[in-house]
Amino acid sequence: MAQYAFFRGQIVPINEAKVSVMTHGLNYGTGCFEGIRAYWNEEQEQLFVFRLQEHFERFLRSCRILHIDLPYSATELGQITLELLRREGYQEDAYIRPLAFKGDEIIGVKLHDLTNELAIYSTPFGRYLEEEEGAHVCISSWRRVDDNAVPARGKITGAYVNSALVNSAAVLSGYNEALVLDQHGHISEGSAENFFMVRHGHLVTPPLHSDILEGITRDSIIELALEEMGLKTEQRSIDRSEVYICEEAFLTGTGVQVAAIVKVEHRPFGSGEMGPVVARLREIYFDAAQGRNSKYRHWCTPVYDLG
């Protein structure tokens, strides 16, 4: 469990990082967050944070949407995070959660003229989805939030009620996850993951205008697929029925990493097991994220000074 958090300008014991039940961000969902992974490399005895700078750049973009002005740059937030991880001393995979929110203890729905708060904590973390090698998903009856209602490209806390409704409806119905349609009836993403499929030997993923999160893992997979496998990614609208007939499919995200989908609403892909493209992409991704491929070492920030 976490021992420390960065809270109100300093690193404190985690049990001192507390807010009131009256806090605006808790009552109205007026906050935003990031999810960042750090991978323990046993051979190198090093903890690598994956794409640290890019995550904090996206975090600050989410803040901008909510009129949250923090007194830190992405680089400074990264340095705070590294110090926090050193305090924790993890020698295992970990998850980092930066959280910015409106901290006033008032009644009233707004974003302006409020106090902005920042917290960062971390925790040991393994799998987000236990069935990473073979998930069974459904198409959710819930629709993805529209960019003109709650901006999907921001990781806004209140918007994740949409994700929670999608996920619980799927899991309670016996599925591992769900795919969500946008307001035009096209595939958007999973409850909290980006979506890819394989059709006619190349990758296809929904475009940004399908109300998806601008995923950092998504971006990594597009680059890795091209550089390491020669696979181009087509970003276009995807119909529901097209998912039923694709060759392979998978989910990506910081939490879920790269998770194979083997069946959609009782329609298996091929033999109903993880296909060769997804298997290879998972291998390539973990090599890059865990610091085992020197070509992508610029994506990996080491936590410990090994002298």
Side-chain angles (χ1 to χ4, degrees), residues 96-112:
I96 303 105
R97 169 53 51 82
L99 174 67
F101 58 97
K102 300 297 183 178
D104 300 80
E105 299 175 14
I106 64 167
I107 300 297
V109 183
K110 62 178 182 176
L111 293 173
H112 63 282

Side-chain angles (χ1 to χ4, degrees), residues 15-134:
N15 60 4
E16 294 181 14
K18 298 179 179 179
V19 298
S20 165
V21 295
M22 293 179 62
T23 301
H24 200 276
L26 174 62
N27 283 266
Y28 299 114
T30 49
C32 57
F33 67 95
E34 261 302 319
I36 309 171
R37 274 198 184 258
Y39 290 96
W40 175 247
N41 185 312
E42 185 68 39
E43 293 179 356
Q44 300 179 40
E45 297 184 330
Q46 182 61 269
L47 187 67
F48 290 110
V49 186
F50 188 62
R51 302 195 70 171
L52 180 64
Q53 181 74 14
E54 292 94 331
H55 276 287
F56 275 118
E57 288 173 355
R58 185 175 67 180
F59 179 60
L60 292 176
R61 291 195 296 270
S62 295
C63 287
R64 191 181 316 154
I65 291 172
L66 293 183
H67 294 281
I68 295 176
D69 185 17
L70 298 179
Y72 305 100
S73 67
T75 299
E76 290 168 335
L77 290 168
Q79 292 303 314
I80 292 168
T81 299
L82 293 175
E83 178 56 32
L84 183 65
L85 291 171
R86 293 185 190 110
R87 293 275 192 102
E88 296 286 4
Y90 296 128
Q91 294 188 14
E92 58 185 312
D93 293 351
Y95 191 89
I96 303 105
R97 169 53 51 82
L99 174 67
F101 58 97
K102 300 297 183 178
D104 300 80
E105 299 175 14
I106 64 167
I107 300 297
V109 183
K110 62 178 182 176
L111 293 173
H112 63 282
D113 297 334
L114 294 173
T115 304
N116 301 313
E117 298 274 13
L118 169 68
I120 306 173
Y121 66 91
S122 62
T123 187
F125 197 74
R127 293 184 174 214
Y128 176 82
L129 186 67
E130 284 301 318
E131 300 77 10
E132 273 189 10
E133 294 85 2

Side-chain angles (χ1 to χ4, degrees), residues 1-268:
M1 294 295 293
Q3 299 183 70
Y4 302 98
F6 181 80
F7 185 65
R8 293 179 176 164
Q10 59 184 329
I11 295 177
V12 300
I14 191 71
N15 60 4
E16 294 181 14
K18 298 179 179 179
V19 298
S20 165
V21 295
M22 293 179 62
T23 301
H24 200 276
L26 174 62
N27 283 266
Y28 299 114
T30 49
C32 57
F33 67 95
E34 261 302 319
I36 309 171
R37 274 198 184 258
Y39 290 96
W40 175 247
N41 185 312
E42 185 68 39
E43 293 179 356
Q44 300 179 40
E45 297 184 330
Q46 182 61 269
L47 187 67
F48 290 110
V49 186
F50 188 62
R51 302 195 70 171
L52 180 64
Q53 181 74 14
E54 292 94 331
H55 276 287
F56 275 118
E57 288 173 355
R58 185 175 67 180
F59 179 60
L60 292 176
R61 291 195 296 270
S62 295
C63 287
R64 191 181 316 154
I65 291 172
L66 293 183
H67 294 281
I68 295 176
D69 185 17
L70 298 179
Y72 305 100
S73 67
T75 299
E76 290 168 335
L77 290 168
Q79 292 303 314
I80 292 168
T81 299
L82 293 175
E83 178 56 32
L84 183 65
L85 291 171
R86 293 185 190 110
R87 293 275 192 102
E88 296 286 4
Y90 296 128
Q91 294 188 14
E92 58 185 312
D93 293 351
Y95 191 89
I96 303 105
R97 169 53 51 82
L99 174 67
F101 58 97
K102 300 297 183 178
D104 300 80
E105 299 175 14
I106 64 167
I107 300 297
V109 183
K110 62 178 182 176
L111 293 173
H112 63 282
D113 297 334
L114 294 173
T115 304
N116 301 313
E117 298 274 13
L118 169 68
I120 306 173
Y121 66 91
S122 62
T123 187
F125 197 74
R127 293 184 174 214
Y128 176 82
L129 186 67
E130 284 301 318
E131 300 77 10
E132 273 189 10
E133 294 85 2
H136 182 192
V137 308
C138 63
I139 307 297
S140 180
S141 60
W142 294 98
R143 292 295 178 102
R144 179 70 169 132
V145 291
D146 183 80
D147 188 65
N148 287 307
V150 181
R153 61 173 31 87
K155 290 181 71 70
I156 296 169
T157 57
Y160 277 74
V161 171
N162 179 241
S163 298
L165 288 166
V166 169
N167 180 269
S168 287
V171 173
L172 293 175
S173 296
Y175 298 96
N176 305 125
E177 247 299 356
L179 301 180
V180 194
L181 304 179
D182 63 20
Q183 300 302 314
H184 301 287
H186 298 125
I187 299 293
S188 178
E189 54 184 21
S191 68
E193 311 93 2
N194 290 124
F195 172 77
F196 286 81
M197 67 179 183
V198 180
R199 283 223 71 194
H200 308 303
H202 63 270
L203 297 183
V204 183
T205 193
L208 297 180
H209 63 251
S210 282
D211 295 324
I212 70 169
L213 179 71
E214 295 183 344
I216 292 170
T217 307
R218 174 183 182 271
D219 177 73
S220 303
I221 288 297
I222 290 171
E223 181 172 341
L224 290 168
L226 182 61
E227 293 295 320
E228 303 300 318
M229 298 176 66
L231 285 177
K232 295 182 179 179
T233 300
E234 184 180 359
Q235 300 186 45
R236 62 165 173 81
S237 296
I238 299 173
D239 292 332
R240 172 181 183 154
S241 61
E242 191 176 13
V243 176
Y244 295 152
I245 61 173
C246 68
E247 290 93 65
E248 300 181 45
F250 59 100
L251 300 167
T252 66
T254 296
V256 80
Q257 303 174 111
V258 181
I261 299 172
V262 298
K263 189 161 47 174
V264 176
E265 295 183 338
H266 309 287
R267 297 169 176 85

